């Protein structure tokens, strides 16, 4: 049976959104690493500090691995709800 054309379009949109989310998360991770490297080099210029920071990050991710997706989901829902609320208020102003 052939899929509904709307279903194909929704799947395509969903794949694109998933890709954007992955890109966003990757950018956030890269920026966090760069910022931490900058701070570490600024205040504690040592290779051991970087190793300790990496080790602490791994331990944090290991212990909170089940909660992190929920935190990301909550943050994403908050961000998009604020974005859509701002768009609705802007569109309401245009109608006046």
């Amino acid at each position: 049976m052939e899929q509904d054309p709307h279903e194909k379009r929704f799947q395509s949109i969903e794949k694109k959104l998933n890709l954007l989310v992955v890109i966003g998360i990757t950018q956030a991770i890269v920026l966090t690493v760069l910022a931490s490297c900058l701070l570490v080099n600024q205040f504690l210029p040592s290779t051991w500090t970087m190793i300790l920071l990496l080790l602490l990050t791994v331990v944090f991710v290991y212990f909170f691995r089940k909660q992190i997706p929920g935190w990301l989901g909550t943050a994403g829902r908050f961000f998009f709800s604020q974005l859509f609320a701002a768009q609705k208020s802007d569109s309401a102003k245009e109608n006046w």
Side-chain angles (χ1 to χ4, degrees):
M1 300 191 84
E2 192 170 320
Q3 286 184 331
D4 184 27
H6 295 295
E7 185 67 29
K8 288 181 182 179
R9 185 166 184 212
F10 286 139
Q11 287 177 352
S12 172
I13 291 171
E14 184 179 13
K15 287 179 184 178
K16 290 175 184 177
L17 285 175
N18 287 339
L19 181 62
L20 286 175
V21 168
V22 169
I23 290 171
I25 291 171
T26 304
Q27 285 181 336
I29 291 170
V30 168
L31 285 175
T32 303
V33 169
L34 288 175
S36 63
C37 288
L38 177 66
L39 289 173
V40 167
N41 286 336
Q42 190 70 24
F43 297 111
L44 301 169
S46 170
T47 304
W48 292 108
T49 307
M50 283 302 299
I51 293 171
L52 181 62
L53 179 67
L54 181 64
L55 182 65
L56 289 174
T57 304
V58 169
V59 169
F60 176 82
V61 169
Y62 176 76
F63 281 119
F64 294 102
R65 66 185 178 273
K66 292 186 180 180
Q67 287 87 3
I68 291 174
W71 295 340
L72 293 175
T74 303
R77 283 189 293 276
F78 174 77
F79 172 75
F80 285 113
S81 68
Q82 295 297 318
L83 181 67
F84 291 136
Q87 287 177 349
K88 287 181 183 176
S89 66
D90 289 344
S91 65
K93 291 177 186 175
E94 291 173 2
N95 291 335
W96 285 92

